[in-house]
Amino acid sequence: MNALLTAADALAKVDATALPHDLPTAAGVLGDAALRLDEVLAAAAEPARRTPEEHQAVSRAKDTLRAVRSRFLDAHVDSVYGDLTDGHRRRPRLRELVTDAATRFPGLVPTPDQMATESARLQAHKEGLEIDQGIFFRAVLGSEAAGRHLVDSMLRPTGRARALYPEYRRTGVADLGSVRLERIGSTAHVTMCGADRLNAEDNDQVDSMETAVDLVLLDPDVGVGVLRGGPMEHPRHRGRRVFSAGINLKELHAGRISLVDFLLRRELGYINKIVRGLAVEGPDSWRAPTVHKPWVAAVDAFAIGGGAQLLLVFDRVIAGEDSYFSLPAAQEGIVPGVANLRLGRVGGTRLSREVILWGRRIWATEPQAAALFDHVVDPALLDAAVEEAAERMDSPAVVTNRRMLQLAENPAEPFRAYMSEFALQQSLRLYSEDVITKTGRFTAARA
């Protein structure tokens, strides 16, 4: 304990407000401070076995270093990002960017080895290193130049999609594990296949969803994308289609929901591609820098949490009469993606607060549901309604007008600013005591 307190006291003497102005010297101070935190952690027991006094000393040391990191990024984020992207000529994605940052600027973000150790722990037993990634991405996305470049970089097709594209073009089918894609006529049907978990999203499903969205937008034979949940194996819904139960709380409790690979990638990756299109380069890209296509969502049973967030970006939402919309952010304790930005636009500020802050559930047959569902039908008629919607939306004029509607309704700059603050606040929520307690309780109740 004495060694721990000595190391923590040494780190506490670092004054974040006195960082040198030049980048190399400031980076050296940051790196030295990070090494001091390593000494603190080395002197402490594992997080699950720390005494209250150890927890307090470690928390104080982390806060000191985080203040230094924040001040460093406030002063140097554009130079740091320029270095990491070769003057904006490279376009690294989130994971590559944060990995490069750990190498180029020691102490700025956790190293891959540190994150590997962290990812093996239960959420309640982690050091909270993703908060440091949240500080980094808040600064990057908060910079107009760096943030715009990163958001645009995330609109590029993924490597997985490029690798699968030739076979998908030949067969019209891509089995991505938790997601299945099938082209029927000019409609691409994306089916969420988390049959054992009510389509609750995890890191793997986010990757598969982005791959599917990329393939739909790359395919010149596709005019419309349709998203729907597949039949379930869950005992309470066996054989019935379900749209989505939102974030996989069991995976969150187990420490396997990533800030970078799930929470940030989901919003900046496939959801933003649905909104803004897929960034392309080529001789015709002067006409438009992104490929847009209309999207239809078909809601069976319920759209909860992340599933409800998805509906806010679709061009037409069709729901069964027995389905509902729910954003249980207050119950789960985390930020419901970009719903805080989007729900008020479609449903008004009062409905947004009732749903997000109060936890109100909106059934498809309620009057207020008109703001969320375009067409509500008998569940037995959902297939026909989806087919009709896809046929009507498959039009070049729809594509162009959709592009213009998105410019009006979802401007890029408010989204970038929102994601900047989201990166930090969501990372803090992941390690808050109430979230850890609630996810553990939900997981136990569903076991």
Side-chain angles (χ1 to χ4, degrees), residues 307-372:
Q309 295 163 30
L310 285 173
L311 302 187
L312 302 177
V313 303
F314 275 71
D315 302 295
R316 190 160 185 83
V317 178
I318 304 168
E321 292 173 336
D322 58 348
S323 64
Y324 65 86
F325 174 105
S326 173
L327 282 169
Q331 291 89 338
E332 295 171 355
I334 59 177
V335 181
V338 189
N340 293 308
L341 179 66
R342 293 176 175 139
L343 183 55
R345 292 176 181 170
V346 302
T349 58
R350 300 321 311 170
L351 182 65
S352 178
R353 280 166 171 75
E354 280 197 36
V355 170
I356 294 173
L357 304 182
W358 195 252
R360 178 180 170 185
R361 179 180 294 182
I362 307 294
W363 288 90
T365 51
E366 290 186 57
Q368 290 85 351
L372 305 169

Side-chain angles (χ1 to χ4, degrees), residues 156-356:
R156 268 57 183 173
T158 65
R160 184 185 181 194
R162 290 187 183 280
L164 293 174
Y165 181 68
E167 180 67 11
Y168 162 72
R169 279 285 292 143
R170 186 182 69 81
T171 64
V173 174
D175 187 345
L176 305 172
S178 57
V179 176
R180 177 178 170 80
L181 170 61
E182 183 177 9
R183 185 200 318 120
I184 301 176
S186 60
T187 300
H189 292 266
V190 180
T191 304
M192 296 177 283
C193 303
D196 60 336
R197 58 183 185 277
L198 302 178
N199 286 327
E201 278 190 290
D202 55 17
N203 289 1
D204 175 72
Q205 185 156 322
V206 167
D207 179 67
S208 294
M209 281 292 292
E210 184 168 11
T211 303
V213 169
D214 283 354
L215 293 173
V216 171
L217 293 172
L218 285 169
D219 190 348
D221 293 334
V222 166
V224 180
V226 171
L227 179 64
R228 193 172 184 183
M232 295 293 103
E233 297 173 359
H234 190 281
R236 284 184 294 173
H237 301 273
R238 193 178 306 278
R240 182 187 181 191
R241 286 181 180 266
V242 162
F243 190 72
S244 174
I247 191 171
N248 191 323
L249 294 174
K250 183 177 180 180
E251 289 291 286
L252 177 57
H253 172 71
R256 293 191 290 266
I257 293 294
S258 165
L259 175 72
V260 172
D261 297 321
F262 182 112
L263 295 162
L264 294 180
R265 178 181 176 181
R266 182 175 187 269
E267 304 299 339
L268 293 166
Y270 83 84
I271 296 180
N272 204 33
K273 288 173 177 177
I274 290 172
V275 174
R276 302 184 201 286
L278 190 72
V280 294
E281 296 178 357
D284 289 334
S285 60
W286 64 269
R287 298 176 184 271
T290 54
V291 175
H292 272 254
K293 290 177 184 177
W295 288 85
V296 177
V299 182
D300 299 271
F302 48 73
I304 300 173
Q309 295 163 30
L310 285 173
L311 302 187
L312 302 177
V313 303
F314 275 71
D315 302 295
R316 190 160 185 83
V317 178
I318 304 168
E321 292 173 336
D322 58 348
S323 64
Y324 65 86
F325 174 105
S326 173
L327 282 169
Q331 291 89 338
E332 295 171 355
I334 59 177
V335 181
V338 189
N340 293 308
L341 179 66
R342 293 176 175 139
L343 183 55
R345 292 176 181 170
V346 302
T349 58
R350 300 321 311 170
L351 182 65
S352 178
R353 280 166 171 75
E354 280 197 36
V355 170
I356 294 173

